[in-house]
Amino acid sequence: SLVSGQLVRVASRRGEVTVPLLADDRVGVAQADLAMHWGSEFLGGRDAQGAARGGVNALTTGAFCGDSKQPELKHAAVSVKPALLPWRVVAARWFDDDDAAGMQALRERLQTAMPTFNHAMCVPVAAPSNQRGRVGLRFEAASAQPVSPEQLAMLIDALSPAAATRRPASAPARYDDVRRHRTRRLWIDGEGEHAVLRALLVVGPEGEGAWLFEVWRGAEPVALFGRALLSPAAAAPTHLAPVNPQVCNCFDISRSRI
């Protein structure tokens, strides 16, 4: 059976994409809904034959209206099955609003890396109310094999706050377990109770440290989590508040705000 949050392979006769699943009882039986916005700019990876995937329109038909030339993008017959991709990457970085060039440079580097994974997505993230004046970039990837040293080195270099500004930056907090293919890099802004994550990189088996993304997105003070920030345990600390589902990224509207 399929459960919310897992990666699934959505395939038609024309192509396939891999996306995270969200269960929704408003979608009819034997139906699936996938937004047309998930084009190759945001969604990618490579298929079993090594060819680059092209976003949601890889699933659709080439038919179009003979009069208006409007393409038929509204429906396609697909199958939905679990995607067996146990190795994951979660990465994110905040940028100041006036650093559009830095954000675009990182986005381009990450988009170049997308076809090296079986699944990858790269999307902007709105800042929470306590981080106004910033905009974020989120990158997630999955693979059938552990992340290679070359992929890892590229991600670490690209995410470093010094990579875009070319100014000195403090060294990240780090955890590495080469034998188990686990890596964490946490770039921290501020000190003491005001310290928050500027950027993060979590690499490992499925679920490994995924809770750290919520700490980054909510600009939670990292002092609350202590050693757990670099702990190899996959689960979140027990004192971490339950994730408040995000309803609208553009305006930072969560379920609690509604």
Side-chain angles (χ1 to χ4, degrees), residues 10-239:
V10 182
S12 71
R13 291 184 301 168
R14 292 160 290 278
E16 63 181 61
V17 297
T18 301
V19 291
L21 177 72
L22 176 63
D24 190 333
D25 57 13
R26 293 171 298 179
V27 178
V29 176
Q31 293 183 349
D33 181 73
L34 184 56
M36 64 181 180
H37 306 88
W38 287 94
S40 57
E41 180 182 359
F42 304 107
L43 180 67
R46 66 173 187 270
D47 61 23
Q49 288 71 46
R53 290 173 169 161
V56 64
N57 281 346
L59 303 173
T60 57
T61 174
F64 59 90
C65 172
D67 296 323
S68 68
K69 310 304 180 185
Q70 172 69 31
E72 174 52 86
L73 302 177
K74 297 300 184 182
H75 70 272
V78 298
S79 65
V80 181
K81 298 179 180 179
L84 303 179
L85 303 173
W87 297 96
R88 304 297 173 86
V89 173
V90 178
R93 178 154 154 23
W94 290 119
F95 290 86
D96 296 331
D97 278 347
D98 60 1
D99 191 15
M103 182 172 176
Q104 182 60 27
L106 176 59
R107 173 181 281 182
E108 290 175 357
R109 289 193 70 180
L110 294 176
Q111 287 173 338
T112 299
M114 287 168 69
T116 69
F117 296 93
N118 296 112
H119 159 73
M121 54 181 276
C122 186
V123 295
V125 178
S129 57
N130 61 343
Q131 290 288 297
R132 292 304 183 196
R134 286 185 169 184
V135 62
L137 195 64
R138 171 186 181 183
F139 178 82
E140 292 191 11
S143 180
Q145 303 297 327
V147 174
S148 71
E150 294 77 17
Q151 289 171 314
L152 184 58
M154 184 282 299
L155 290 168
I156 292 172
D157 180 64
L159 287 160
S160 170
T165 63
R166 297 304 172 192
R167 295 182 302 208
S170 58
R174 59 183 291 174
Y175 164 76
D176 293 288
D177 185 337
V178 176
R179 187 169 67 86
R180 292 183 174 88
H181 306 287
R182 290 173 167 171
T183 293
R184 290 188 193 180
R185 293 292 186 277
L186 306 176
W187 289 268
I188 298 172
D189 275 352
E191 297 181 354
E193 63 182 16
H194 301 293
V196 296
L197 289 177
R198 162 72 76 157
L200 68 88
L201 172 65
V202 179
V203 178
E206 182 177 357
E208 168 75 13
W211 60 273
L212 284 164
F213 174 77
E214 301 301 335
V215 174
W216 170 86
R217 186 175 72 173
E220 301 282 350
V222 295
L224 295 173
F225 308 104
R227 295 181 180 179
L229 294 169
L230 298 178
S231 169
T238 55
H239 63 276

